[in-house]
Amino acid sequence: GQLALTEAELKEEITRTLTTNNPHAPQNIVRYSFKECSYKPVLVMDQMAVHFEMEGNLVYRDLDEARRLEGLPKGSYLNIFNCHINTAFKVNMLFPTVKTKVTLAKAIPHVCFPQVTPASKADKEPKVRSQFNFSEMASQTLNNPMTEISCQTEPPQHCTFSANANQWEIYDAYVEELQKQEKNKEKQKTIQLKEDGDKSKKKMMLTETQNDDINKLGKAAKIIERMLHQNRFDDIAQDFKYFEDPSDEFRGQQGTILPLWEFHYDKIKKLSVTALCWNKKYPDLFSVGLGSWRGMLVFYSLKNSTFPEYIYPTSSSVLCLDIHEQRSYLVAVGFYDGCVAVYNLKREGQEPVYKSTAKTGKHTDPVWQVCWQNDDIENHHNFYSVSSDGRVVSWTLIKVIKDHIKRMYSCCNVYTSVVVLEAIFSYLSCGTSMDFHKQIDYLFLVGTEQGKIHKCKTYSRQYLETYAAHDMPVDTVKWNYFHPNVFISCSSDWTVKIWDHTINTPIFTFDLKAAVGDVAWAPYSSTVFAAVTTDGTVHIFDLNINKDEPLCQQAVMAKHRLTHIEFNPTHPIIIVGDIRGDVASFKLSPNLRQKQKMKKGQVQPKGPEVEVAKMEKLLRLMRGPDLE
Amino acid sequence: MDSLSLCLRSFTVIGRGLLPIGAEVEETLKRIQGQKGVQGIIIVNSEGIPIKTTLDNASTMQYAGLLHQLVMKARSTVRDIDPQNDLTFMRVRSKKNEIMIAPDKDYFLIVIQNPSD
């Protein structure tokens, strides 16, 4: 119902005001200002409200627009046949709260209505275009046919390129750049040798193109061959690395040698092994000297027992060889015809870099032993050779840089002249073996055909001492690796003797019941040595364990005459050569490699001092009763 | 086997040079072919196209294409880890045989061997 108000409330005066504010207009509009980056209130709002809007076609006659439509100037009276109202009119109204009448008529402007004009006036008055009396007349003109003219050029050649930018690609690019820079530097340096440079470049170019295709595979082929070899001899390879004979525990002190790879090469049939030498830098590489009616120098690697790594045929038998300790690519070789030669493994070709001739003082008899020595003061390589002509000769290799004029290997080091020093030691007897002391450079031993051993110094022509060692030629004489006083000798008189060079009589003598071909000290112990005999047996002794009997006596290689034996400097392997030209490798069982047994709790001492002490103890033991 | 592979990888080639150029490699390849259990040798160039092979055409194309990708991937892996390193060789041992790949700068040599033959 109706609101019930009291009389007082009914009489209350309520003020009403008329304002021009649109109550519906929003008062708190906020706009974001990008200038100030914040929201700003909009202060002025449009207060107009439209109540009625109508678009029509009537035009107010007095307006310019209407006159224009009729084509009449301003101000003239006209009758508009048709009219438009095309201005929207808006009614701006006051907003009453009290009802008021609004006369619409006042608000609407004058409207013109169409009037029909008499015909006489029609001629003067222009025609008015309207939608009722307007007709369009058009005519079609001939359109020219459109032709498109264009020209197409040949597109530039393009190819799709894709590449990876890996870390290593970037690295490679840098390395290449560096190499280019270095080459440029070198080119600048060798500007003087232009002529020579061109010639040598031409040589280089030729060899490069030949090498291009298949020879690049050399290294890969080698790797594959070794991989195949490893697969094929997998069990041997595993034995080599890991097998430790467990039955040694039950054998007491005896040991065995386990056969590993055998090295054959077809072309060395009928040649016998005359020398063996391990390479110290690459402990899987060893060299074999062969000879009988002709000679050969062959290098094998343990990684490939089917084919040698390097082959050098020689005209005369190789009797001895030695690999330089530091520069393991230099090999000194002594021949049956008295020559000595030096091979450089880094060089191509099968010729030695140096070979002695009659002019440069070769021996007149077979050379039985060669030994590299340390470089002399001027850093020249030198080695010694001993031969049955009774001379010990020292050879020195001097590098000479060939003249530019001669146009050979400019700036290459070529061993051209050798033998500046020739120290001749005149002996009445003929030397058959030689060894230099491991620590004292100038001290060496020479074994002779008469069975004597002479101790000498390199700078004096006299012997320091002579030992009456054997009854037959001394085949091998070797200093101990550890103890500075001890050396071993062997001979075809069936004996192996161990000496202290301060004492004239042997400390130990072993009779091996067959002519001894070679003897070698073990590099890992001062009391272990091995000997091979012509009945095809390998004997291994450890004086620390058993002073009289060998720890191992094993027949190997179908009992052919064994000629040489060598211990590998790092692995527990020995190689043995025989007269058939075959080389076999064996692994030493643990009993042969025993370290001193320590009491429980004591730390195992290491180092060469231990070995020296071991030997010293032994010597004292042997000497003991003598002194007394 | 690890230490063995290690010793294979430490290459002991000090220099070349015994037989005339090219003949040495030919000799080596002949020896490889003659080794026990070798089923085939393929030489592939750096684009994966086989140059020389002892197998039939179909197998060669298959091996060459597949192994080329494998070697590239392996090489990329090794070098990504350390750009100064490079792949020396790869062995893929399967039930029936073993595929050995020795990559070189421009070529690789693939040998298939059945070691138990």
Side-chain angles (χ1 to χ4, degrees):
Chain A
Q2 188 123 27
L3 201 60
L5 295 167
T6 60
E7 282 225 20
E9 280 175 352
L10 281 170
K11 284 185 184 164
E12 194 181 333
E13 279 197 11
I14 298 172
T15 339
R16 303 232 184 244
T17 51
L18 289 176
T19 60
T20 54
N21 291 331
N22 182 357
H24 297 296
Q27 284 158 347
N28 52 358
I29 298 269
V30 177
R31 292 246 185 273
Y32 186 75
S33 157
F34 283 95
K35 188 175 172 190
E36 286 148 49
C37 295
S38 63
Y39 286 97
K40 292 277 172 220
V42 175
L43 301 164
V44 177
M45 271 310 295
D46 202 4
Q47 302 293 324
M48 188 172 81
V50 176
H51 285 271
F52 175 67
E53 195 171 329
M54 187 185 96
E55 287 212 18
N57 294 332
L58 304 176
V59 178
Y60 185 41
R61 69 193 323 171
D62 287 334
L63 281 180
D64 291 332
E65 202 175 335
R67 292 182 206 283
R68 213 178 341 112
L69 282 175
E70 293 172 19
L72 289 174
K74 271 192 207 175
S76 56
Y77 173 77
L78 56 91
N79 284 327
I80 298 179
F81 191 67
N82 207 351
C83 47
H84 307 271
I85 301 178
N86 56 9
T87 50
F89 58 89
K90 294 172 188 162
V91 177
N92 200 344
M93 296 176 65
L94 299 171
F95 289 91
T97 50
V98 176
K99 284 186 191 167
T100 53
K101 281 188 187 172
V102 176
T103 47
L104 208 62
K106 283 187 188 170
I108 296 173
H110 284 169
V111 174
C112 308
F113 290 97
Q115 285 176 353
V116 179
T117 54
S120 56
K121 285 187 185 175
D123 296 329
K124 292 180 190 171
E125 290 166 15
K127 284 251 169 109
V128 177
R129 292 176 219 98
S130 77
Q131 67 190 36
F132 299 112
N133 79 341
F134 179 71
S135 68
E136 201 173 292
M137 288 203 306
S139 65
Q140 178 84 28
T141 56
L142 186 69
N143 284 334
N144 288 328
M146 302 283 281
T147 56
E148 208 174 283
I149 299 175
S150 65
C151 75
Q152 186 173 16
T153 55
E154 212 174 276
Q157 277 194 338
H158 65 277
C159 64
T160 316
F161 174 77
S162 70
N164 287 329
N166 287 330
Q167 201 173 0
W168 51 273
E169 299 241 3
I170 297 171
Y171 174 81
D172 276 349
Y174 273 109
V175 167
E176 248 185 71
E177 188 60 41
L178 194 73
Q179 281 175 350
K180 267 186 207 169
Q181 281 180 4
E182 276 173 15
K183 266 187 194 168
N184 284 338
K185 276 186 201 167
E186 275 180 29
K187 274 184 195 170
Q188 284 171 10
K189 278 184 194 170
T190 57
I191 281 174
Q192 320 140 322
L193 308 165
K194 248 187 188 172
E195 253 188 313
D196 280 6
D198 285 338
K199 277 220 170 181
S200 61
K201 268 186 202 166
K202 279 181 195 165
K203 272 189 188 171
M204 282 291 288
M205 286 298 286
L206 275 172
T207 49
E208 267 177 32
T209 48
Q210 280 174 10
N211 291 357
D212 237 0
D213 39 350
I214 201 86
N215 211 47
K216 282 192 178 172
L217 273 178
K219 193 170 170 187
K222 210 166 195 150
I223 296 180
I224 290 263
E225 201 184 353
R226 288 181 179 194
M227 278 202 264
L228 287 169
H229 176 266
Q230 190 187 15
N231 276 348
R232 186 171 153 196
F233 297 108
D234 185 46
D235 43 355
I236 297 181
Q238 300 281 350
D239 282 346
F240 157 75
K241 201 69 193 179
Y242 302 116
F243 182 70
E244 303 290 354
D245 200 346
S247 58
D248 261 12
E249 286 173 45
F250 309 109
R251 249 199 283 261
Q253 289 166 343
Q254 299 285 313
T256 51
I257 49 177
L258 179 76
L260 297 174
W261 300 282
E262 286 200 10
F263 300 86
H264 302 283
Y265 179 38
D266 292 333
K267 296 187 187 157
I268 54 172
K269 282 183 188 153
K270 300 182 194 172
L271 293 177
S272 62
V273 171
T274 50
L276 289 174
C277 189
W278 285 97
N279 187 313
K280 302 229 170 19
K281 190 164 175 212
Y282 298 104
D284 63 287
L285 189 66
F286 64 91
S287 59
V288 182
L290 300 146
S292 64
W293 47 279
R294 61 183 175 89
M296 203 177 273
L297 179 61
V298 154
F299 286 78
Y300 283 102
S301 162
L302 291 178
K303 297 174 188 169
N304 188 352
S305 64
T306 54
F307 198 76
E309 302 288 315
Y310 301 94
I311 308 168
Y312 298 98
T314 59
S315 47
S316 140
S317 301
V318 171
L319 284 184
C320 54
L321 59 89
D322 193 25
I323 300 181
H324 199 284
E325 274 203 33
Q326 286 89 35
R327 290 173 184 73
S328 54
Y329 49 88
L330 289 177
V331 182
V333 179
F335 293 100
Y336 187 77
D337 62 359
C339 288
V340 290
V342 175
Y343 285 85
N344 185 335
L345 296 180
K346 281 190 178 173
R347 292 272 166 106
E348 305 237 358
Q350 300 194 300
E351 289 306 310
V353 281
Y354 169 71
K355 193 160 181 188
S356 70
T357 58
K359 278 189 211 166
T360 52
K362 73 179 185 93
H363 291 277
T364 49
D365 267 356
V367 177
W368 290 101
Q369 190 70 29
V370 283
C371 278
W372 280 107
Q373 274 297 90
N374 294 326
D375 286 354
D376 62 13
I377 303 167
E378 293 146 38
N379 281 336
H380 295 139
H381 309 309
N382 63 337
F383 64 93
Y384 286 77
S385 64
V386 71
S387 150
S388 7
D389 64 357
R391 293 190 300 160
V392 172
V393 179
S394 145
W395 308 81
T396 310
L397 302 171
I398 297 180
K399 298 175 204 174
V400 167
I401 299 172
K402 273 263 187 181
D403 272 338
H404 301 316
I405 304 167
K406 292 197 178 169
R407 288 187 183 179
M408 295 263 290
Y409 306 106
S410 54
C411 300
C412 255
N413 288 333
V414 175
Y415 297 112
T416 51
S417 69
V418 182
V419 185
V420 167
L421 285 175
E422 196 189 291
I424 305 174
F425 300 81
S426 53
Y427 301 104
L428 297 170
S429 46
C430 325
T432 50
S433 56
M434 176 173 76
D435 193 28
F436 274 82
H437 197 275
K438 308 290 174 209
Q439 283 101 29
I440 306 172
D441 266 356
Y442 52 81
L443 193 62
F444 67 95
L445 297 165
V446 177
T448 64
E449 237 172 80
Q450 280 73 36
K452 297 210 183 93
I453 298 179
H454 304 290
K455 184 171 72 171
C456 329
K457 285 194 190 160
T458 53
Y459 48 80
S460 115
R461 286 190 170 202
Q462 287 193 321
Y463 329 147
L464 290 174
E465 200 158 342
T466 308
Y467 308 89
H470 296 272
D471 307 318
M472 292 190 68
V474 179
D475 284 329
T476 308
V477 64
K478 289 247 171 87
W479 287 100
N480 189 302
Y481 285 107
F482 298 99
H483 199 285
N485 290 352
V486 176
F487 66 90
I488 194 172
S489 68
C490 77
S491 154
S492 323
D493 68 351
W494 295 10
T495 56
V496 171
K497 296 191 182 172
I498 298 184
W499 310 75
D500 180 332
H501 76 101
T502 51
I503 301 174
N504 223 329
T505 50
I507 314 254
F508 294 96
T509 307
F510 301 97
D511 184 350
L512 297 181
K513 318 240 177 352
V516 183
D518 193 13
V519 73
W521 285 108
Y524 53 83
S525 165
S526 60
T527 51
V528 176
F529 68 91
V532 283
T533 56
T534 48
D535 63 353
T537 321
V538 173
H539 310 258
I540 300 183
F541 290 78
D542 186 345
L543 299 169
N544 205 26
I545 296 178
N546 191 328
K547 283 192 287 297
D548 308 304
E549 295 287 318
L551 293 188
C552 170
Q553 226 171 359
Q554 197 166 320
V556 299
M557 292 175 81
K559 295 208 173 176
H560 288 125
R561 260 188 66 181
L562 299 175
T563 48
H564 281 273
I565 183 169
E566 281 294 334
F567 280 85
N568 184 306
T570 45
H571 305 294
I573 308 185
I574 49 173
I575 40 170
V576 178
D578 69 3
I579 55 164
R580 299 278 287 334
D582 294 330
V583 177
S585 55
F586 299 90
K587 183 163 181 181
L588 301 165
S589 72
N591 271 353
L592 302 170
R593 298 182 264 139
Q594 260 185 22
K595 306 268 177 183
Q596 261 182 320
K597 285 197 178 136
M598 301 303 294
K599 294 173 195 165
K600 277 188 189 174
Q602 269 189 320
V603 180
Q604 176 96 240
K606 284 184 188 172
E609 303 83 34
V610 179
E611 301 296 330
V612 176
K614 217 176 12 165
M615 195 61 177
E616 188 57 42
K617 200 171 89 177
L618 216 68
L619 292 174
R620 236 178 291 134
L621 201 69
M622 296 304 289
R623 254 181 285 146
D626 294 342
L627 284 174
E628 277 169 347
Chain B
M1 276 307 260
D2 270 316
S3 30
L4 275 173
S5 331
L6 263 171
C7 67
L8 268 185
R9 248 184 273 136
S10 69
F11 218 72
T12 64
V13 169
I14 303 170
R16 262 187 272 152
L18 321 162
L19 306 168
I21 298 163
E24 180 194 335
V25 178
E26 288 289 340
E27 277 270 326
T28 314
L29 292 175
K30 256 188 244 165
R31 271 183 278 130
I32 291 175
Q33 178 66 28
Q35 283 243 19
K36 193 178 74 154
V38 171
Q39 290 169 350
I41 307 179
I42 306 171
I43 303 178
V44 179
N45 77 350
S46 52
E47 288 154 32
I49 300 165
I51 308 175
K52 209 174 171 194
T53 172
T54 59
L55 296 170
D56 58 279
N57 214 2
S59 316
T60 305
M61 295 314 291
Q62 212 179 11
Y63 272 109
L66 295 167
L67 289 171
H68 174 72
Q69 293 175 41
L70 184 64
V71 172
M72 284 300 142
K73 191 71 188 172
R75 189 183 243 164
S76 180
T77 310
V78 169
R79 297 207 74 199
D80 258 349
I81 295 170
D82 178 7
Q84 292 184 323
N85 204 355
D86 197 8
L87 185 67
T88 334
F89 65 84
M90 262 183 81
R91 283 176 187 253
V92 181
R93 195 165 227 162
S94 67
K95 282 190 212 164
K96 294 190 187 170
N97 53 20
E98 178 163 344
I99 304 172
M100 286 170 274
I101 307 152
D104 201 36
K105 219 176 142 200
D106 302 314
Y107 299 90
F108 25 102
L109 192 52
I110 301 169
V111 174
I112 303 138
Q113 185 196 28
N114 191 345
S116 51
D117 258 350

